[in-house]
Amino acid sequence: MDIHMATEYDIQNESRRRAMRSLSGLAMAALSLPLSRMSLAAGQYPEKAISLIVPQPVGGDADAVCRLLQPLWQKALGQSVIVDNRAGAAGNIGTAAGSRAPNDGYTLTFVNQGTMTINPFLYKDPGYHVADLAPVSLMTSIDLIICAHPSVPAANLAQFLALARKQPGGFTYGTAGNGSANHLAGEMLKSMAGVDLVHVPYRGGGPAMIGVLGGEISTVVAFPLAALPHIRSGKLKALAITGSQRNPALPDVPTVAESGVPGYEFTSWMGLVAPKGTPLDRIETVADATRQAMGDPSVRQRLNDAMTTPDAGGPEALREIINKDSEKMSALISKFQLKID
């Protein structure tokens, strides 16, 4: 083979090798594409059940709202949401557990005004720091109801306050525990109305409701979800609501301000948090699932019927209300010199 022929042969051979390498590369890219997609699918969140710590016992207002939303969260997320009730210390025990959980998005914690904006100013050490919890979503805003056992000889709050002034220390009021939103609402009432009521703290809203139904206590400051069924059945009397205006669910029940305590207003809220450092995309996934759950017409109707306003604002909305309420609640606690019983 002469030099010319050898060179032409080599050139043709090299062209074939390049073509084979190019085809091989395309084949490998084609093969790697489905593998890449499979890898992405395998890394989607959530891949397993999510634990939701509820720092109240079964039967309380927090438990009722979370169990109402539970099937809708599961539908939106495609995984089970397991409600883990950890009651005690006005929500401190469960909230502390949530703050110490792994920050992988598989542990969420129910929070409210009490655990995020009251307890930090009432307890020397509640067992957690608000800064260790990342806001995920608002859930609801709620006015509380002041209810009485049928044996209390008062049809409304104005009459009850008149009785309480005649019998200092003669009547009791129950709450979900020391430092709870119910507790602060009750202490505000005592201070602003100038009455002496004995506070009886329970380990959650459910036990407090059982206490008033059984006649252990005269009255209870309760969340509507727990109280309304008993009001409607006649087992409890609704004396007043704590918000700024009457509610369509109880149109004949006056506000506290209407009952001779001008300027009184107390509204609570509920939300979800995750441990600090939880990936933002996972927080947004849960926030979006909460928006979907709160958008369900049947859920909205049931919450509205229970004097509970759906509010699925995302992480920034919850962060804003925590900051705003922290200033307000710390000022009230200082003003009324509230302390743990």
Side-chain angles (χ1 to χ4, degrees):
M1 182 181 297
D2 59 22
I3 293 175
H4 177 76
M5 289 180 62
T7 302
E8 184 177 353
Y9 176 83
D10 289 341
I11 291 172
Q12 290 175 350
N13 227 10
E14 180 60 23
S15 296
R16 282 194 294 269
R17 282 196 295 270
R18 287 179 179 175
M20 289 298 293
R21 282 198 300 268
S22 178
L23 287 171
S24 177
L26 288 171
M28 289 300 293
L31 286 171
S32 67
L33 184 59
L35 288 175
S36 174
R37 286 177 179 166
M38 286 172 63
S39 177
L40 285 172
Q44 287 180 348
Y45 167 84
E47 296 180 287
K48 60 182 181 180
I50 293 174
S51 175
L52 172 57
I53 296 175
V54 178
Q56 287 190 11
V58 175
D61 52 281
D63 182 70
V65 171
C66 290
R67 291 185 189 276
L68 173 64
L69 296 176
Q70 185 180 26
L72 292 156
W73 273 324
Q74 292 178 157
K75 180 180 179 181
L77 293 167
Q79 292 289 348
S80 297
V81 175
I82 301 168
V83 176
D84 180 6
N85 296 89
R86 300 197 194 185
N92 288 348
I93 292 173
T95 308
S99 72
R100 294 192 296 265
N103 58 359
D104 55 8
Y106 289 99
T107 302
L108 304 171
T109 303
F110 170 95
V111 293
N112 56 23
Q113 191 177 45
T115 55
M116 298 299 278
T117 67
I118 297 175
N119 291 6
F121 303 102
L122 280 177
Y123 288 83
K124 183 178 180 181
D125 180 14
Y128 59 92
H129 298 287
V130 173
D132 291 336
L133 294 161
V136 174
S137 178
L138 269 170
M139 292 165 61
T140 64
S141 62
I142 319 157
D143 295 336
L144 282 60
I145 310 176
I146 299 172
C147 308
H149 186 268
S151 64
V152 175
N156 53 50
L157 183 62
Q159 293 179 11
F160 176 71
L161 293 176
L163 285 173
R165 292 188 183 104
K166 292 177 182 178
Q167 303 176 50
F171 295 95
T172 53
Y173 80 95
T175 71
N178 287 318
S180 63
N182 323 56
H183 179 204
L184 186 55
E187 292 300 310
M188 282 179 60
L189 176 64
K190 285 171 56 177
S191 177
M192 294 179 71
V195 294
D196 179 12
L197 303 174
V198 178
H199 178 221
V200 180
Y202 285 83
R203 289 174 61 86
M209 189 58 57
I210 293 171
V212 73
L213 288 169
E216 293 176 3
I217 49 178
S218 312
T219 64
V220 66
V221 181
F223 280 84
L225 275 172
L228 279 172
H230 305 299
I231 293 169
R232 289 167 176 158
S233 69
K235 295 178 181 178
L236 288 180
K237 293 188 287 189
L239 301 180
I241 61 172
T242 65
S244 61
Q245 56 188 1
R246 297 192 184 198
N247 192 284
L250 293 175
D252 297 326
V253 178
T255 66
V256 174
E258 288 180 282
S259 304
V261 191
Y264 184 102
E265 180 184 349
F266 193 98
T267 300
S268 190
W269 49 265
M270 299 177 175
L272 289 177
V273 297
K276 180 181 178 182
T278 299
L280 292 178
D281 59 336
R282 298 189 174 192
I283 285 176
E284 287 294 346
T285 296
V286 176
D288 184 61
T290 304
R291 281 188 287 270
Q292 291 182 52
M294 286 297 187
D296 183 89
S298 64
V299 166
R300 297 186 70 84
Q301 186 62 54
R302 288 182 66 181
L303 289 173
N304 285 326
D305 288 346
M307 292 174 58
T308 303
T309 304
D311 187 349
E316 288 307 315
L318 179 55
R319 181 177 288 107
E320 182 179 347
I321 200 169
I322 289 171
N323 292 337
K324 181 180 177 181
D325 250 16
S326 292
E327 293 181 11
K328 179 181 177 181
M329 293 301 145
S330 61
L332 286 172
I333 289 167
S334 177
K335 177 180 178 180
F336 298 120
Q337 299 182 339
L338 302 184
K339 61 181 180 180
I340 300 300
D341 292 347

